[in-house]
Amino acid sequence: VQLQASGGGMVQAGGSLRLSCAASGRTFSSYTKGWFRQAPGKEREFVAAIGWSGGTYYSDSVKGRFTISRDNAKSTVYLQMNSLKPEDTAVYYCAAYRVITSEIRRSPSYKYWGQGTLVTVSS
């Protein structure tokens, strides 16, 4: 499975962006898909995930502002980001694999990763 993330850019605080992650491979629809981010000088952190059955999970820092969704027909997962804050500035990575619910927030649980897309939020 190869993942290609896109949609990053620069936006002012309060603005919105939508990230996309397109995948190759027939098994993508059966995988849990996640978004992680890494800010300069910080560790990679969990942002959101959508399980193979459609259940969604969010970090407390983005809950209510970000929405993860998927289009299995297009083998694509999306991250709609609203009400962006400067602290959302980071490189955003998509990831996929067979992940059990209890491990869904842990980056080592995911085998396949996209290349990252930079999101910069100015104040």
Side-chain angles (χ1 to χ4, degrees):
V1 175
Q2 292 184 327
L3 306 179
Q4 181 74 35
S6 62
M10 184 176 293
V11 64
Q12 290 189 331
S16 298
L17 282 174
R18 189 177 80 155
L19 305 184
S20 299
C21 179
S24 62
R26 293 178 296 174
T27 57
F28 184 70
S29 63
S30 66
Y31 285 167
T32 291
K33 276 77 76 173
W35 286 96
F36 291 77
R37 66 187 182 186
Q38 188 166 16
K42 295 188 176 181
E43 294 186 352
R44 190 171 298 188
E45 65 173 358
F46 171 78
V47 176
I50 185 165
W52 67 270
S53 62
T56 57
Y57 308 82
Y58 298 94
S59 69
D60 288 342
S61 62
V62 308
K63 194 176 298 182
R65 300 188 297 123
F66 291 11
T67 302
I68 189 170
S69 62
R70 66 184 181 183
D71 185 336
N72 285 333
K74 296 182 178 179
S75 294
T76 302
V77 61
Y78 304 97
L79 186 68
Q80 178 66 44
M81 305 185 295
N82 298 329
S83 302
L84 282 161
K85 304 175 181 179
E87 51 263 44
D88 295 318
T89 294
V91 176
Y92 283 71
Y93 298 90
C94 58
Y97 201 46
R98 299 182 187 91
V99 181
I100 59 175
T101 302
S102 61
E103 301 294 319
I104 210 164
R105 291 174 172 81
R106 297 184 67 248
S107 59
S109 301
Y110 296 79
K111 180 177 181 179
Y112 303 109
W113 289 84
Q115 84 287 3
T117 185
L118 177 62
V119 172
T120 303
V121 184
S122 60
S123 57

